[in-house]
Amino acid sequence: MPTIDAVKEAIATLFPLHTGEISNSTTAADVDGWDSVAHVQLMFLLEEISGKSIDLAKSVEIENVGDLVNLIEAD
Amino acid sequence: MSTFVIGIEESRKFACLSGDFNCQHLDEVQARRLPFGRTVVHGLHTLLCALDVFAQTRTSAFRLRKIRASFTGPVYQGDVAAVAIQENGDNITLTVLSNGRTVSIINFSVQTVVSEQESRAGTAVYRFSPATLIDAQEILGYSGVEPLATDADIAKSLFPNLFSTFDKDQTSVLLASTNIVGMKCPGERSIFKYLSIAFSEEGNDRTLAYKVDRFEPISSMASISLSNDWVKGSIHAILRAIPVSQTSYEDVLQAIGTQEGRGRHVLIVGGTRGMGEIATKIAAASGADVTIGYALGRDDAIRVADEISAGGGNAMCCKIDVREEIFDIDAMKSPVTDMYYFASPKIIMNNKEYIDKELLRNYIDFYLFGLDFVIDILTKRELLAYNVNIFMPSSVFVDQPKDGAFEYAAAKSMAEIYLSYLSSKHGQRLSVTMPRLPMTRTDQTSNVEGHLPSAIDILLPLLSPLHAAM
């Protein structure tokens, strides 16, 4: 599965009420409920879906979904 | 939208059904010191009630293919919860709201049961047992196996629609998940955040294995895998902060070093924990006789009184519940020279766009009407000394607005105005101190990240001069 699709699936799973389009430019502020606690949950879900390990310390520095995709693909 | 209300009796039944006797659901005294401040409904109880609402719309027996649930906020016992159902083909979403906010989102797909199969779940009615205490150092890799069981009678009484149409084995898996989180891992200090389970039809296992695969220490979030030969899933649960312990009486004695308060009688309303506990110790350490007012925390009050007595101080306890207007006034042995008012509900930030009237009323009940109730009773029973000091901690949020704190600050502000008028009426007989305090490290702020000053650091400079001036 392409990484961006894994991110979309994780966001859809954790924030099922979010109706907006998810793209590389989407930020946490665009998704209602994506706070610091939900961010950690999102990373856990992404690890399950993508099968890849995510550096949680680096993940808090991302600015948008594009950065997150790059972070996952870099590992 | 359908609604339901879960009270403490239903929560007790649910504990017997699931085995999850975690104190945050059943023990109102301990729950005061936990993040939600009051007993809350089990997340899985809310989920099963929402499924029970959904089951009313079904005419035939059904099973889940998969289910995902996020628990985004608490449902307090006795509060109304409303369920909105959205169906999109096989995909169903239940949104549960309580007190104007979304508290749970449950997403699942179902299949109609075409043939009954032999049940893999046993029958069990659980009895109380204490939950496991696990700390952050030992949680990663923690694992175990949970038997699958459901008691049909209790399940039918709690979820009548669901249990007539829903798969008993799958019920037992959902119940096992709350047992695992609330009792085993993270156990006593848990908050259930998220559940995801996929079910297959094949398989015979009668137990469910769990293991902590990931733990993130800053958020204290654990990812726990669930598995057997017909279940695969995961849980996210928070290992919540340990209730804050306040400075010991011995250390307060050393910090005070004088007996300027000798001959005073200080009543501390809400003196059993947090800021009130420290104020009690400061007053006692300064040589005053103290009366510790408690609402629910009788054991906490006795603990503080015993600690003071063991250190050579003089303390007694008195039940004062300002919400219920209960004051065991006959326990007061002498007129009060000083009254410290620390009675407070759990301080909750309002995340809505509008004023939360219920929250505002609750704060006003404590900070304004509760204060007036205590002063009124003491006055009528002639238990206020001729010259009286009143100390009421206010908040920096009165003049430094903080998002979500309007209701709290407004009620504190009203208490300030009330005391100002009282002081004006009684002149020099009544001395009022109402400092606007910053956030301090107590149970109220145990989940606030970053450094906060300790209660003793804040209160010692404020209360010591009161005693020195007596």
Side-chain angles (χ1 to χ4, degrees):
Chain A
M1 179 191 292
T3 307
I4 183 67
D5 290 344
V7 174
K8 286 179 181 177
E9 183 180 331
I11 289 173
T13 299
L14 204 55
F15 311 107
L17 301 183
H18 179 75
T19 52
E21 185 72 22
I22 300 296
S23 68
N24 282 337
S25 62
T26 302
T27 67
D30 297 329
V31 181
D32 192 26
W34 187 345
D35 56 19
S36 58
V37 172
H39 179 84
V40 176
Q41 294 184 258
L42 186 65
M43 297 307 114
F44 286 169
L45 271 179
L46 267 170
E47 288 187 333
E48 286 174 29
I49 294 166
S50 68
K52 293 179 179 175
S53 177
I54 298 173
D55 186 328
L56 288 171
K58 286 183 183 172
S59 79
V60 297
E61 295 168 7
I62 62 159
E63 292 190 359
N64 54 35
V65 164
D67 289 350
L68 181 56
V69 170
N70 292 336
L71 175 69
I72 297 167
E73 291 181 342
D75 280 339
Chain B
M1 232 187 243
S2 298
T3 60
F4 60 85
V5 176
I6 298 168
I8 184 70
E9 281 309 315
E10 287 80 17
S11 285
R12 288 191 184 119
K13 271 189 183 180
F14 185 78
C16 294
L17 179 67
S18 65
D20 182 356
F21 289 87
N22 193 289
C23 60
Q24 68 186 321
H25 308 297
L26 305 172
D27 185 334
E28 59 180 349
V29 176
Q30 285 201 58
R32 295 172 312 136
R33 306 196 62 177
L34 304 178
F36 301 124
R38 285 165 51 194
T39 46
V40 294
V41 174
H42 298 74
L44 260 291
H45 195 166
T46 300
L47 181 150
L48 286 164
C49 278
L51 280 179
D52 192 66
V53 169
F54 168 74
Q56 290 178 45
T57 68
R58 307 290 292 188
T59 52
S60 53
F62 67 96
R63 288 194 190 114
L64 299 171
R65 286 196 177 93
K66 62 180 181 181
I67 184 166
R68 291 163 173 164
S70 290
F71 305 106
T72 53
V75 177
Y76 291 102
Q77 282 156 355
D79 286 0
V80 176
V83 184
I85 303 173
Q86 281 179 289
E87 293 198 44
N88 185 7
D90 286 346
N91 191 30
I92 297 136
T93 301
L94 308 179
T95 305
V96 185
L97 299 111
S98 187
N99 287 314
R101 63 179 288 189
T102 301
V103 292
S104 186
I105 303 161
I106 304 151
N107 180 264
F108 56 96
S109 58
V110 298
Q111 59 184 330
T112 302
V113 175
V114 289
S115 62
E116 290 293 332
Q117 61 187 74
E118 187 186 347
S119 176
R120 294 159 287 198
T123 297
V125 177
Y126 291 91
R127 292 176 184 277
F128 173 79
S129 63
T132 308
L133 265 171
I134 297 176
D135 64 32
Q137 282 70 46
E138 60 184 336
I139 193 168
L140 186 61
Y142 194 95
S143 63
V145 176
E146 189 62 27
L148 296 175
T150 306
D151 181 84
D153 291 337
I154 300 177
K156 273 180 198 163
S157 71
L158 291 174
F159 317 110
N161 303 300
L162 182 65
F163 211 71
S164 63
T165 51
F166 187 48
D167 185 275
K168 183 183 174 190
D169 290 353
Q170 294 190 343
T171 306
S172 71
V173 171
L174 297 175
L175 293 171
S177 72
T178 190
N179 187 319
I180 290 166
V181 170
M183 300 298 286
K184 312 287 167 44
C185 177
E188 183 169 312
R189 292 168 48 206
S190 62
I191 297 176
F192 205 144
K193 292 294 292 179
Y194 171 80
L195 171 72
S196 171
I197 294 177
F199 296 96
S200 65
E201 291 186 50
E202 304 298 322
N204 303 302
D205 283 349
R206 293 168 182 266
T207 58
L208 185 64
Y210 61 91
K211 183 184 178 194
V212 177
D213 293 326
R214 289 280 268 149
F215 180 69
E216 197 285 308
I218 294 172
S219 62
S220 294
M221 181 78 72
S223 177
I224 306 163
S225 62
L226 303 174
S227 62
N228 67 19
D229 66 357
W230 53 282
V231 173
K232 186 167 171 51
S234 63
I235 286 169
H236 297 166
I238 290 177
L239 180 65
R240 58 178 158 69
I242 299 170
V244 176
S245 292
Q246 294 299 344
T247 310
S248 70
Y249 183 61
E250 193 177 337
D251 288 344
V252 175
L253 263 177
Q254 286 187 357
I256 293 272
T258 65
Q259 292 279 292
E260 304 274 5
R262 197 171 287 278
R264 314 290 298 182
H265 178 197
V266 183
L267 169 65
I268 305 95
V269 182
T272 60
R273 59 198 178 105
M275 302 272 280
E277 177 182 343
I278 286 298
T280 300
K281 289 174 178 174
I282 290 172
S286 72
D289 294 341
V290 298
T291 297
I292 306 167
Y294 66 90
L296 295 173
R298 182 173 178 273
D299 290 347
D300 283 332
I302 291 170
R303 171 184 56 78
V304 176
D306 286 349
E307 192 184 347
I308 288 169
S309 298
N314 191 3
M316 58 165 284
C317 304
C318 176
K319 183 168 178 69
I320 306 175
D321 185 335
V322 297
R323 279 296 301 275
E324 300 296 326
E325 298 203 339
I326 295 168
F327 192 156
D328 183 14
I329 193 79
D330 294 332
M332 303 291 288
K333 303 296 182 202
S334 62
V336 170
T337 58
D338 305 75
M339 199 267 282
Y340 301 168
Y341 191 80
F342 285 90
S344 179
K346 178 73 179 174
I347 297 166
I348 296 168
M349 294 293 124
N350 174 15
N351 57 6
K352 303 178 191 122
E353 296 296 321
Y354 50 88
I355 293 175
D356 186 329
K357 292 178 184 171
E358 198 62 36
L359 189 60
L360 179 58
R361 280 191 199 102
N362 193 35
Y363 286 135
I364 292 172
D365 279 348
F366 271 90
Y367 300 145
L368 180 63
F369 296 142
L371 179 60
D372 179 60
F373 164 72
V374 172
I375 291 173
D376 186 50
I377 288 220
L378 288 170
T379 305
K380 284 178 177 162
R381 297 291 290 264
E382 298 182 343
L383 279 166
L384 276 181
Y386 185 78
N387 291 304
V388 181
N389 296 313
I390 294 181
F391 181 91
M392 190 281 295
S394 186
S395 169
V396 292
F397 298 153
V398 170
D399 54 7
Q400 297 172 29
K402 176 182 168 63
D403 271 356
F406 167 75
E407 291 82 356
Y408 171 69
K412 281 289 187 188
S413 177
M414 290 172 84
E416 284 187 18
I417 295 166
Y418 166 80
L419 286 177
S420 296
Y421 271 74
L422 207 62
S423 176
S424 168
K425 183 177 170 185
H426 293 283
Q428 291 185 338
R429 280 189 59 198
L430 184 70
S431 168
V432 172
T433 308
M434 40 192 184
R436 291 177 176 170
L437 304 183
M439 282 209 289
T440 305
R441 185 59 70 193
T442 66
D443 291 338
Q444 295 268 17
T445 56
S446 61
N447 56 354
V448 174
E449 292 174 12
H451 172 76
L452 293 177
S454 67
I456 182 102
D457 289 342
I458 294 294
L459 286 179
L460 197 55
L462 294 168
L463 292 177
S464 294
L466 288 181
H467 295 290
M470 289 165 189

